[in-house]
């Protein structure tokens, strides 16, 4: 076997010494972990080939936005680990006048949304339903969901990827539906430069999105979830591969952007009212909304308190500046950790102080509704749907049962940014309460489509462990993010086990859209899929609590 020193010398020749970093990791049983940042697809291929021939484990990493740690070293390995970070590999190629796109590994969903905006098109998901740094390919590999009711999980059958076959050799597989040549490096160079025949009319025989998903969502009486990222229907090639392949590019459908939209804020103390809204709207194909996002009052309040600085940043700097601002914050946090001030949460405390001094970022009407009612639903519909939705809401939500507010354009932007702020509210609160509160347990769950008690979150025997429960999610899909801030001293592992049993008893799936990572056990169908993709257990071993040993021993 090639020595660590020899492999590191080879990797430095491939990518340059400044882009190879080595550190010891005790969790890897003393095995060194090497971090590599290639600049081109050919460099990725060469790094991967060298690592495979040296008998090392490979972990592919992009933005690292997973809640479950699915792309980071975790636990004891029987071999050294090479982490390949792909965030330098930016690239978007438009196909069919933007009706499809070809994305390289480092492309983020935010960047894709920005590139498609002038074409009046948009990707599978959008800002407000995902992390800013989430990569497009990472979403496909995890079958990630999103706020778009009609589009389903990130999915494609068209990708260019490498896998390690039964003999231990790295092989390149082209399923893009375009001729790139024969030699692997030739194919990768052609792809990166965009030197391929663009398909003008043929939309390709392979599915490049989750076709027919909206009909699955509309089946509200089905005793199974609408979507979850271990769904066998969406495990194919790169889709759902979770790091078991080295994915160089994916081909995806894009979608027309609605020229004019209307946002409705529905609030009530009766959870059944929102169930009726969901059933009635999904029962009429013409009224299926663009998105339907839920927030509980406790989440509404905490997002307003802990995420006020985010809304202020968008209001003053614009949404397009958010990646830079978050990157700057991460840089300052990194310096603070290096200086030994990491536990002080300096940037979070500063931003909290700014937020407290700033005026309210939500309109008075939205704030009053947030205080008065327990359950909140934000509906975004196309302009030509507004009259029908208005009439339906007037029938389903009379004044005695709640309130319906037709948002102004500014308020419409506010509520969906407010929903985005809720994503990090629990973590921010825990950071501000360090030493006073317990652990934060973040779970995403897909409930059955016919689950009438969707509002029922905690079983009685676990309530005593929880200080705060924060719930928000994609309501029409019945996919919810449930964040629990535990009481100090509560056993987070025991709580997770209890919630897993609770979800299983309800016929729910957890996780729903953040991958099993290293926290959840892969069910047999998913574990078999991983083994089929990676028979030598070289790529991201151990994910889903599967074997970390070579050849699955």
């Amino acid at each position: 076997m090639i020595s660590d020193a020899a492999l590191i010398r080879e990797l430095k020749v491939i990518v340059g010494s400044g882009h190879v970093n080595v550190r010891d990791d005790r969790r890897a049983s003393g095995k060194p972990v090497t971090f590599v940042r290639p600049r081109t697809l050919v460099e990725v291929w060469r790094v991967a080939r060298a690592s495979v021939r040296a008998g090392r484990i490979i972990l592919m990493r992009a933005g690292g936005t997973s809640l479950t740690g699915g792309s980071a070293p975790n636990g004891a390995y029987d071999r050294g680990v090479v982490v390949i970070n792909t965030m330098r590999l930016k690239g978007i190629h438009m196909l069919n006048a933007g009706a499809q796109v070809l994305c390289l590994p480092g492309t983020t969903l935010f960047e894709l949304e920005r590139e498609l905006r002038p074409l009046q098109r948009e990707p599978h998901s959008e800002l407000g339903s995902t992390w800013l740094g989430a990569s497009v390919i990472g979403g496909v590999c995890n079958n990630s969901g999103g706020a778009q009711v009609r589009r389903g999980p990130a999915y494609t059958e068209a990708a260019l990827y490498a896998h390690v076959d039964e003999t231990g050799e790295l092989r390149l597989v082209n399923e893009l539906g375009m001729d790139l040549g024969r030699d692997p490096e030739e194919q990768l160079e052609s792809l990166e430069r965009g030197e391929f025949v663009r398909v003008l009319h043929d939309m390709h025989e392979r599915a490049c999105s989750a076709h027919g998903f909206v009909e699955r969502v509309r089946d509200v009486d089905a005793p199974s979830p609408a979507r979850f990222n271990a769904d066998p229907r969406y495990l194919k090639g790169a889709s759902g591969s979770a790091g078991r392949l080295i994915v160089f590019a994916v081909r995806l459908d894009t979608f027309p952007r609605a020229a004019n939209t209307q946002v409705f804020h529905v609030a009530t103390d009766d959870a059944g009212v929102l169930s009726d809204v969901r059933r009635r709207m999904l029962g009429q194909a013409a009224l299926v909304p663009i998105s339907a996002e839920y927030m509980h009052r406790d989440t509404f309040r905490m997002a307003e308190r802990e995420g006020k600085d985010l809304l202020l940043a968008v209001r003053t700097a614009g949404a397009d500046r958010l990646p830079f601002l978050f990157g700057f914050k991460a840089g300052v946090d990194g310096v603070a950790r290096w200086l030994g001030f990491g536990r002080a949460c300096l940037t979070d405390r500063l931003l909290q102080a700014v937020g407290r001094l700033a005026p309210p970022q939500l309109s008075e009407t939205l704030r009053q509704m947030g205080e008065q009612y327990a359950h909140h639903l934000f509906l975004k519909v196309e302009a030509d749907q507004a009259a029908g939705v208005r009439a339906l809401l007037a029938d389903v939500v009379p004044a005695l049962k709640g309130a319906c507010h037709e948002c102004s354009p500014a308020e419409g932007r506010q509520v969906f940014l407010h929903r985005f702020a809720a994503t990090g509210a629990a973590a921010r609160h825990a950071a501000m309460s360090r030493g006073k509160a317990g652990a934060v347990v973040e779970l995403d769950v897909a409930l059955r489509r016919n689950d009438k008690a969707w509002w029922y979150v905690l079983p009685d025997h676990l309530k005593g462990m929880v200080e705060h429960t924060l719930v928000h999610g994609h309501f029409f899909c019945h996919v919810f993010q449930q964040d629990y801030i535990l009481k100090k001293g509560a056993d987070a592992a025991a709580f997770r086990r209890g919630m897993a049993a609770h979800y299983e008893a309800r016929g729910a799936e957890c996780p729903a859209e953040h991958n099993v990572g290293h926290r959840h056990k892969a069910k047999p169908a998913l574990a078999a899929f991983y083994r089929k993709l990676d028979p030598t257990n070289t790529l991201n071993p151990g994910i889903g609590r599967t074997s970390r040993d070579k050849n699955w021993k």
Side-chain angles (χ1 to χ4, degrees):
M1 180 179 288
I2 297 175
S3 68
D4 294 333
L7 175 60
I8 290 165
R9 284 196 299 270
E10 185 175 359
L11 297 182
K12 287 182 176 180
V13 170
I14 295 171
V15 303
S17 59
H19 298 290
V20 178
N21 181 31
V22 183
R23 70 184 73 158
D24 290 330
D25 193 325
R26 293 181 211 172
R27 293 175 304 171
S29 293
K31 307 293 183 183
V33 178
T34 306
F35 297 84
V36 187
R37 289 173 56 86
R39 183 178 56 85
T40 67
L41 297 182
V42 170
E43 287 184 1
V44 175
W45 170 261
R46 291 174 178 172
V47 167
R49 184 176 56 187
S51 302
V52 169
R53 290 177 177 174
R56 302 307 196 269
I57 286 168
I58 298 175
L59 302 185
M60 301 301 300
R61 186 172 178 84
T65 58
S66 170
L67 289 178
T68 56
S71 59
N74 187 291
Y77 298 96
D78 62 344
R79 294 152 284 168
V81 178
V82 175
V83 179
I84 302 177
N85 187 291
T86 62
M87 292 307 290
R88 296 175 72 199
L89 302 166
K90 306 288 187 181
I92 301 171
H93 299 296
M94 298 292 174
L95 303 174
N96 305 311
Q100 288 186 331
V101 290
L102 200 67
C103 294
L104 301 190
T107 302
T108 66
L109 191 60
F110 187 91
E111 291 163 347
L112 178 57
E113 182 183 357
R114 185 177 58 200
E115 290 297 312
L116 288 171
R117 200 176 300 149
L119 302 178
Q120 295 302 307
R121 299 190 72 84
E122 56 190 12
H124 142 267
S125 195
E126 62 180 358
L127 174 66
S129 63
T130 187
W131 295 98
L132 285 172
S135 70
V136 174
I137 284 182
V140 170
C141 292
N142 293 325
N143 284 148
S144 297
Q148 306 291 323
V149 175
R150 309 168 189 172
R151 297 177 190 172
Y155 177 76
T156 186
E157 297 171 5
L160 181 72
Y161 58 83
H163 73 109
V164 180
D165 67 14
E166 296 86 348
T167 68
E169 286 295 317
L170 191 68
R171 308 288 183 188
L172 191 66
V173 179
N174 181 3
E175 295 177 344
L176 289 172
M178 51 183 64
D179 186 6
L180 298 173
R182 292 179 177 270
D183 177 73
E185 294 194 4
E186 175 191 356
Q187 293 184 60
L188 295 171
E189 287 177 349
S190 297
L191 177 68
E192 194 157 21
R193 291 196 299 261
E195 294 177 353
F196 46 79
V197 178
R198 282 176 166 78
V199 181
L200 298 179
H201 303 292
D202 175 22
M203 293 301 286
H204 196 41
E205 67 275 12
R206 295 178 184 270
C208 294
S209 59
H211 296 169
F213 174 76
V214 68
E215 296 307 319
R216 185 171 176 82
V217 174
R218 293 185 64 207
D219 187 1
V220 295
D221 293 315
S224 60
R227 61 174 169 86
F228 57 100
N229 56 9
D231 188 338
R233 295 177 306 124
Y234 296 121
L235 299 177
K236 188 168 185 178
S239 294
S241 57
R244 292 292 187 172
L245 300 172
I246 300 172
V247 183
F248 292 97
V250 293
R251 182 173 177 174
L252 295 165
D253 292 332
T254 68
F255 305 87
R257 177 181 291 274
N260 295 294
T261 61
Q262 177 61 54
V263 173
F264 293 89
H265 179 186
V266 183
T268 179
D269 286 326
D270 183 353
V273 170
L274 297 191
S275 295
D276 290 343
V277 171
R278 173 175 174 263
R279 279 184 159 274
R280 289 278 296 275
M281 288 186 70
L282 289 178
Q284 301 180 49
L287 295 185
V288 175
I290 296 171
S291 55
E293 294 295 287
Y294 169 80
M295 291 179 72
H296 186 269
R297 176 167 49 202
D298 292 346
T299 312
F300 195 105
R301 289 171 174 172
M302 190 166 287
E304 187 176 10
R305 184 172 65 249
E306 310 292 355
K308 193 176 178 182
D309 53 284
L310 175 63
L311 273 71
L312 179 64
V314 173
R315 185 174 178 179
T316 56
D320 285 351
R321 300 288 293 171
L322 284 182
F324 169 78
L325 295 175
F326 272 71
F328 180 76
K329 178 183 181 298
V332 174
D333 287 339
V335 172
R337 285 193 296 271
W338 183 73
L339 293 174
F341 297 109
R343 294 181 63 83
C345 304
L346 296 178
T347 58
D348 285 305
R349 294 188 183 281
L350 176 62
L351 292 171
Q352 280 293 93
V354 171
R356 282 195 296 268
L357 294 173
Q361 299 300 299
L362 297 176
S363 73
E364 184 64 23
T365 300
L366 296 176
R367 292 170 60 220
Q368 287 181 358
M369 291 175 68
E371 284 295 322
Q372 184 174 356
Y373 296 102
H375 303 286
H376 299 267
L377 177 63
F378 306 132
L379 296 167
K380 182 188 290 186
V381 303
E382 295 175 61
D384 59 5
Q385 294 178 295
V389 172
R390 189 179 301 117
L392 184 147
L393 293 178
D395 184 39
V396 179
V397 195
L400 292 177
K401 289 190 174 183
C404 295
H405 174 57
E406 199 162 336
C407 297
S408 68
E411 288 177 322
R413 291 189 293 271
Q414 288 173 14
V415 295
F416 278 91
L417 278 170
H418 190 55
R419 161 68 178 85
F420 179 51
T423 306
R428 170 68 69 82
H429 178 81
M432 296 297 96
S433 307
R434 188 175 295 278
K436 300 177 182 178
V440 177
V441 175
E442 299 170 303
L443 299 172
D444 59 304
V445 58
L447 300 180
R448 303 187 321 270
R449 283 166 283 175
N450 68 347
D451 194 331
K452 295 179 181 178
W454 57 268
W455 47 266
Y456 170 63
V457 177
L458 275 169
D460 291 339
H461 69 284
L462 295 177
K463 287 182 179 178
M465 301 176 70
V466 178
E467 189 73 39
H468 296 288
T469 299
L470 305 177
V471 181
H472 57 279
H474 314 309
F475 185 59
F476 280 22
C477 300
H478 263 196
V479 171
F480 296 91
Q481 179 75 36
Q482 299 177 353
D483 299 334
Y484 303 96
I485 301 174
L486 303 185
K487 292 180 179 178
K488 190 173 182 180
D491 187 337
F495 180 79
R496 285 182 184 278
R497 289 193 297 271
M499 289 304 298
H502 171 61
Y503 291 145
E504 186 174 1
R506 295 184 65 173
E509 292 284 348
C510 180
E513 52 188 3
H514 286 290
N515 198 300
V516 290
H518 293 286
R519 291 184 181 175
H520 304 278
K521 185 175 182 179
K523 292 186 176 182
L526 183 59
F529 177 64
Y530 290 159
R531 190 159 186 161
K532 179 181 178 182
L533 293 179
D534 186 23
T536 64
N537 209 19
T538 297
L539 294 158
N540 208 9
I543 191 171
R545 300 183 187 173
T546 57
S547 170
R548 289 185 172 86
D549 295 338
K550 187 175 182 179
N551 297 319
W552 297 85
K553 292 180 181 178

